[in-house]
Amino acid sequence: GCTATSVLRVGNRLYHINTGDSQSFLGYFIRGSRGDAATTGVAFLTKEHKPHLPEEKARIESMGGTVMLPPPAPPGIKMALSSRVLALLPNGMQLGLAMSRSLGDVEAGNVGVIATPEITTLNLLEIREEIAAKYAGADPDDIDLFVVVASDGIFDHVEPAEVARVLASALFRDGDGAPPPPPGKDKWTLLMAVENIIMTASQRWLENLDQAYRDDISLAVSKVII
């Protein structure tokens, strides 16, 4: 099976649609500032559908499924292990699925894993007003918004706030405040910023697991013009 996360804009409403443990977020950047962390952030982040969450766990167990809670991570391993749904496959092997909602996991569907998405509706004008209120004196018209959609291969090792900072640097400030560009480049482009995040996530997978493995890594970004 697989996850699915998407963002749909209709007028000034933004719909975040999510199934599984990939995520999307609405980020913001306040123009006219120094570009430090205080002016770039995440206004909304979708929820990962993990088996240990109370409402997910209750549904799975009500259908005869079993949720396995992870032991503490071994010494030297920074990545937290995931809770899993246990399901028996037709060949007698046991499936351990690390999400409580997914597309295509037929056997797991028999024990409460569903494909129903969680849909969150945001009013862009209201969100911008809320951000302005958070930063005293900020003008809503000076707040730029953008959306990011990414797989858990990114967010398992790179925090959304870090993703927002690097992407906003390329989207709105030509690289001001971002990590140094590659040799021979004098500023960030959006492609360079996306590649930086992907390579950072990949490197952290290697460092944290101490083996040549990483989860699927996908990333998309778009400005939200009001």
Side-chain angles (χ1 to χ4, degrees), residues 29-163:
F29 179 79
I30 302 177
R31 282 178 276 132
S33 63
R34 298 189 307 273
D36 55 22
T39 58
T40 302
V42 176
F44 171 78
L45 174 68
T46 59
K47 180 176 66 180
E48 288 184 296
H49 292 127
K50 289 295 188 180
H52 66 273
L53 297 176
E55 65 272 24
E56 304 293 304
K57 186 172 183 286
R59 183 187 66 250
I60 292 164
E61 293 179 340
S62 72
M63 295 185 65
T66 300
V67 173
M68 182 188 73
L69 300 178
I77 301 298
K78 300 177 183 177
M79 178 181 174
L81 301 177
S82 174
S83 56
R84 293 182 178 271
V85 180
L86 302 183
L88 192 64
L89 299 176
N91 61 8
M93 297 184 64
Q94 190 174 59
L95 168 72
L97 187 65
M99 50 190 171
S100 55
R101 303 191 190 197
S102 70
L103 305 178
D105 282 300
V106 178
E107 289 79 14
N110 296 327
V111 292
V113 174
I114 61 175
T116 305
E118 188 167 351
I119 303 174
T120 303
T121 306
L122 304 178
N123 184 305
L124 293 171
L125 297 179
E126 292 178 357
I127 288 289
R128 198 167 62 168
E129 292 286 347
E130 292 171 4
I131 296 169
K134 181 179 178 181
Y135 296 91
D139 185 338
D141 290 336
D142 288 335
I143 298 174
D144 292 305
L145 302 176
F146 58 102
V147 292
V148 175
V149 177
S151 66
D152 58 317
I154 294 284
F155 292 132
D156 279 348
H157 292 288
V158 186
E159 292 293 326
E162 182 179 354
V163 174

Side-chain angles (χ1 to χ4, degrees), residues 160-192:
E162 182 179 354
V163 174
R165 181 182 64 81
V166 174
L167 292 178
S169 295
L171 283 169
F172 306 113
R173 294 186 65 87
D174 291 330
D176 184 17
K185 304 291 184 179
D186 59 358
K187 67 178 182 178
W188 283 94
T189 65
L190 184 55
L191 178 59
M192 289 163 56

